[in-house]
Amino acid sequence: MDSKSTSYETAINMSETESTKQKHSSSAPIIATTKAISHNQKGGWRRGVSIFDFILRLCALVTTLAAATTMGTTEETLPLFTRLFQFQASYDDLPAFSYFVVANAIASAYVVLSLPFSIVCIVRPHLVGAKLVLLILDTVMVAFTTAAAAAAAAIVYLAHNGNSTTQWVAICQQFGDFCQRVSGAVVASFIAAFIFIILVVFSAVTLRRHN
């Protein structure tokens, strides 16, 4: 009797062990599938952010290029009676405007060079190195474009309003087209700076969630 009961208990334990193995083996694919789904969802979210990043970079390219070309081609000459005596206003008469053109031209070149990195981030949304490089350089461009736009905006303000204390006369009453073009260029540069700020925020959030 003892041998029969022992063999019976052994058979029961073996059957329980096999059933337990079957349960674990059946639950393993479910866990793996759940992890794969969550991984794909995270990758899809990062890919969407990378696509939006690429679109913002195209907008930044348009605004910085428009600001640089508009300011760089701004020039106006007042029509007077003689050709020897003329009043002329050009962007290169003021160092702030010259710096504005150079800064926005550099920002435009940077955006063009950053587009391939943005495409790599779309293809490989889990890549961290490229996003970190873009975050650092975008932060530099924020300071660069903001400084250029602020310096040019101060000159534009004086051109529109003058300064009675220093007896600087407002020239926009005479050079209307000149002031209109430089004002538009300054607005475009501020828009570009704001776009770079958005790019920095999105890159920082993406890297934070990656960790």
Side-chain angles (χ1 to χ4, degrees):
M1 291 293 294
D2 294 334
S3 60
K4 289 182 179 180
S5 61
T6 302
S7 61
Y8 180 72
E9 290 176 357
T10 304
I12 292 174
N13 292 331
M14 291 178 63
S15 62
E16 288 179 353
T17 304
E18 290 178 357
S19 62
T20 305
K21 291 182 178 179
Q22 289 177 356
K23 288 181 180 179
H24 284 295
S25 61
S26 61
S27 61
I30 297 175
I31 296 173
T33 305
T34 305
K35 290 182 178 179
I37 292 173
S38 62
H39 186 270
N40 291 331
Q41 288 177 351
K42 291 181 180 179
W45 179 83
R46 292 191 182 96
R47 184 172 286 108
V49 173
S50 299
I51 293 173
F52 186 65
D53 178 275
F54 182 78
I55 295 173
L56 286 178
R57 291 184 187 281
L58 292 178
C59 296
L61 176 61
V62 172
T63 52
T64 53
L65 194 60
T69 54
T70 301
M71 181 69 77
T73 57
T74 299
E75 183 179 358
E76 184 178 3
T77 303
L78 295 181
L80 294 175
F81 295 102
T82 60
R83 295 182 178 179
L84 297 177
F85 188 72
Q86 293 180 340
F87 289 100
Q88 184 179 10
S90 178
Y91 83 95
D92 53 359
D93 294 333
L94 297 168
F97 287 168
S98 299
Y99 169 71
F100 180 90
V101 174
V102 173
N104 281 276
I106 293 175
S108 300
Y110 160 73
V111 174
V112 172
L113 294 176
S114 69
L115 290 178
F117 290 92
S118 183
I119 295 174
V120 170
C121 292
I122 295 174
V123 177
R124 301 180 62 184
H126 298 281
L127 192 63
V128 178
K131 293 179 182 179
L132 183 59
V133 171
L134 290 177
L135 173 62
I136 296 173
L137 295 179
D138 288 343
T139 305
V140 174
M141 289 301 112
V142 169
F144 211 39
T145 53
T146 303
I155 303 300
V156 171
Y157 176 82
L158 290 175
H160 279 282
N161 301 305
N163 192 316
S164 58
T165 304
T166 57
Q167 295 183 354
W168 290 346
V169 181
I171 65 170
C172 287
Q173 295 179 355
Q174 291 79 24
F175 297 94
D177 293 337
F178 176 82
C179 290
Q180 186 176 2
R181 288 177 63 86
V182 295
S183 299
V186 170
V187 171
S189 184
F190 273 118
I191 294 174
F194 181 70
I195 293 174
F196 280 121
I197 292 174
I198 297 176
L199 288 172
V200 169
V201 172
F202 269 92
S203 297
V205 170
T206 304
L207 290 175
R208 178 68 181 84
R209 291 204 173 188
H210 191 277
N211 295 330

